[in-house]
Amino acid sequence: MPKRLNLSKEIEKQLPAELVNFMWMAGEIAHTRGEKLYLVGGVVRDLMLGQANLDLDLVVEGNAIELAQRLKKNVNGKLTTHSRFNTAKLLWDNWSVDLTTARTETYEKPGALPKVTPGSLDQDLGRRDFTINAMALGLNPGFYGQPIDPHGGRDDLKNELIRVLHDNSFIDDATRIWRGLRYEQRLDFHLEKKTLGLLKRDTEMLKTISADRTRYEVECILKERYPEKVFRRAAELEVLPHLHPSLRGDGWLAEKFEQARKLSAPAPPEAGLYLALLAYPLTKEETDRFISRLKLPKALAQILIDTAVLKSKMRLLATPGLSPSGIFRLLEAYSSPAMVANSIATESPTASQNIHLYLTRLKYIEISLTGDDLIQMGVTSGPEIREIMERLQKARLDGEIASKENERELVREWLTKRD
Ligand code: CTP
């Protein structure tokens, strides 16, 4: 490793020119204000790894909101600020940059959000989760691109290790347990030996984490390229049962997630589908508990409930010779991700094919006649309309009729029989 390392070349190579110019300009302005500005956290880690990351986190020894207000003028951007934490988010064109005042944190109670007071960069780095996330790069003129690495993050990057900064790290904030597994699996690193011991010692601290914070961690995992790797490791380290004891993090899940990716390509699967597959082994009652453990928002909760209910209908859906209208009736009430999850997870190829038929064809089949058309033909307004429409739809689904004219003929036939 060179003695006086400077990463300004890496910054230039890996970040778009607009962001590079912004950082130069921000460093100059901070300097004229008598403040010190740094690039920190994940983006520094990823710059050192040569990986793309456009989430710029800046820390200022000074006043982040005032500096952001000044920078806003230069880029003609939009600003959101939080005066309580003295943080700001600056948005312009396609870019978004977070600015934070360097701070110290004290944890009054495990799992609760920390008490925050202004501090130095050293203190700010010292409150962070892992050494590889506790590095900074100077942005002021004179030390632009210079790494600040008080905790040996660069060595840990080289040795592919995830290491906490102190023994109480997971007690202060047990979400770091999930974060540690996420980085380990994403980067293909290892939890450093002592850190692994502390993590095992402190898994019970996951009980101190609120539903909202736990859900956020699960959402982050589901955004990873291979979330199943994180769940597998979580199962191995007895962390997964803290989400729910009946969840599986094994080869079964890996296979199902892989299928979900194939089905959703080129986009990654939506969180609802992944979550439905994760929760697939749960009974209906367990699903309800899992939903409240994570305080899932309504739409996601509904997907999981639908998944559990549909699972109990897979036997019916696998009945040989089931008519298209029969398939339609069994499936129409459920959300699409719940159907896709069941088609991936069921052991019955017939049920899976029937779901596929529904999603690709049956759900789009509609009748052409409207209520008004039916009244004009002599149908009595009221429940009879609905009944006739349902009969028409069944006939359409089962291929007995294929056009508006066919529908008319059928209605006429029924009306003659009725009269
Ligand atoms: N951080 C922390 N402890 C947490 C959450 C965040 O120390 N519980 C710090 C880390 O230094 C992290 C930074 O805040 O690098 C930003 O947090 P986040 O955006 O969650 O992390 P990134 O490292 O940017 O992660 P990712 O690559 O997953 O976006």
Side-chain angles (χ1 to χ4, degrees):
M1 210 194 309
K3 264 216 157 74
R4 256 178 65 82
L5 192 73
N6 190 296
L7 291 187
S8 46
K9 287 228 167 61
E10 275 72 7
I11 296 179
E12 215 152 299
K13 243 193 323 199
Q14 288 177 52
L15 294 179
E18 245 185 298
L19 288 182
V20 177
N21 294 340
F22 172 80
M23 288 198 293
W24 259 109
M25 179 270 290
E28 296 272 349
I29 291 178
H31 186 67
T32 55
R33 289 169 46 85
E35 295 176 327
K36 282 193 181 147
L37 185 66
Y38 306 89
L39 186 64
V40 292
V43 65
V44 176
R45 173 198 70 217
D46 290 341
L47 271 172
M48 291 181 176
L49 286 171
Q51 293 181 3
N53 186 341
L54 302 181
D55 291 334
L56 297 196
D57 276 320
L58 303 185
V59 162
V60 58
E61 284 176 326
N63 187 323
I65 293 184
E66 281 178 26
L67 176 62
Q69 278 161 345
R70 175 70 187 76
L71 297 175
K72 175 186 161 201
K73 291 188 196 146
N74 278 44
V75 292
N76 196 13
K78 272 200 185 136
L79 197 64
T80 25
T81 59
H82 290 283
S83 48
R84 203 172 137 223
F85 297 115
N86 204 339
T87 61
K89 192 186 251 321
L90 184 57
L91 299 161
W92 79 101
D93 301 339
N94 294 321
W95 315 113
S96 149
V97 172
D98 286 305
L99 280 105
T100 313
T101 305
R103 66 203 203 191
T104 58
E105 285 181 352
T106 24
Y107 289 87
E108 287 170 345
K109 202 170 81 185
L113 289 173
K115 203 172 143 242
V116 171
T117 40
S120 63
L121 177 77
D122 261 1
Q123 287 170 320
D124 194 284
L125 295 178
R127 75 182 168 84
R128 289 173 186 259
D129 50 4
F130 304 108
T131 59
I132 59 165
N133 287 343
M135 296 184 277
L137 294 181
L139 294 181
N140 285 45
F143 67 106
Y144 182 88
Q146 265 181 38
I148 294 133
D149 178 18
H151 304 283
R154 210 170 150 75
D155 281 344
D156 283 340
L157 272 186
K158 244 189 0 205
N159 297 319
E160 307 189 334
L161 291 174
I162 308 293
R163 184 197 307 268
V164 286
L165 305 194
H166 59 86
D167 290 3
N168 278 345
S169 191
F170 295 125
I171 297 177
D172 284 347
D173 178 1
T175 66
R176 289 172 176 168
I177 292 178
W178 286 114
R179 292 175 63 84
L181 303 186
R182 195 152 57 79
Y183 292 121
E184 185 195 44
Q185 297 305 312
R186 181 203 298 172
L187 302 171
D188 244 332
F189 281 19
H190 286 100
L191 287 159
E192 172 275 333
K193 198 163 162 234
K194 186 165 173 215
T195 299
L196 180 61
L198 295 170
L199 186 148
K200 287 180 178 162
R201 181 195 73 184
D202 294 335
T203 43
E204 282 305 300
M205 299 310 291
L206 284 165
K207 295 204 170 83
T208 64
I209 303 300
S210 69
D212 286 341
R213 296 191 73 208
T214 306
R215 185 184 62 250
Y216 177 76
E217 292 308 320
V218 173
E219 285 165 358
C220 287
I221 295 169
L222 297 178
K223 284 186 196 142
E224 293 291 325
R225 183 133 180 237
Y226 300 110
E228 64 270 29
K229 289 175 68 184
V230 184
F231 292 126
R232 184 192 46 76
R233 186 68 160 138
E236 197 174 284
L237 296 175
E238 288 170 36
V239 169
L240 193 60
H242 285 269
L243 290 184
H244 193 287
S246 306
L247 294 178
R248 296 171 67 170
D250 53 9
W252 180 89
L253 188 74
E255 196 187 299
K256 303 304 162 193
F257 273 27
E258 181 59 35
Q259 285 177 36
R261 278 191 292 273
K262 283 206 178 113
L263 270 180
S264 314
E270 55 180 297
L273 175 56
Y274 268 154
L275 209 55
L277 289 169
L278 180 69
Y280 198 81
L282 308 185
T283 64
K284 172 73 180 60
E285 292 67 33
E286 288 173 335
T287 302
D288 291 338
R289 250 173 285 140
F290 182 59
I291 288 169
S292 43
R293 169 76 184 97
L294 295 182
K295 245 206 226 164
L296 289 180
K298 237 178 161 179
L300 278 181
Q302 194 58 52
I303 291 174
L304 295 207
I305 293 166
D306 283 357
T307 303
V309 178
L310 257 181
K311 191 166 86 172
S312 67
K313 308 220 155 149
M314 285 301 105
R315 263 251 278 268
L316 276 176
L317 201 62
T319 314
L322 196 60
S323 65
S325 61
I327 297 170
F328 188 92
R329 231 179 307 114
L330 276 171
L331 294 176
E332 65 179 324
Y334 305 104
S335 49
S336 301
M339 284 186 231
V340 179
N342 270 281
S343 80
I344 291 174
T346 180
E347 276 164 20
S348 156
T350 311
S352 183
Q353 278 157 19
N354 286 342
I355 293 174
H356 183 73
L357 179 68
Y358 177 88
L359 288 171
T360 53
R361 258 182 9 90
L362 302 183
K363 78 177 212 181
Y364 299 106
I365 293 179
E366 281 176 356
I367 58 171
S368 307
L369 291 177
T370 64
D372 284 348
D373 293 333
L374 293 178
I375 289 170
Q376 272 179 12
M377 292 179 72
V379 180
T380 330
S381 61
E384 197 182 15
I385 296 208
R386 198 189 148 86
E387 191 197 316
I388 291 202
M389 282 187 150
E390 277 172 10
R391 287 172 70 184
L392 282 175
Q393 193 191 29
K394 181 174 182 307
R396 273 260 187 176
L397 285 164
D398 292 337
E400 292 159 9
I401 52 172
S403 68
K404 194 168 184 178
E405 201 32 53
N406 291 161
E407 288 179 13
R408 281 191 197 283
E409 284 160 16
L410 206 56
V411 174
R412 273 190 221 113
E413 200 180 301
W414 288 335
L415 289 176
T416 328
K417 275 192 200 146
R418 184 197 66 178
D419 295 334

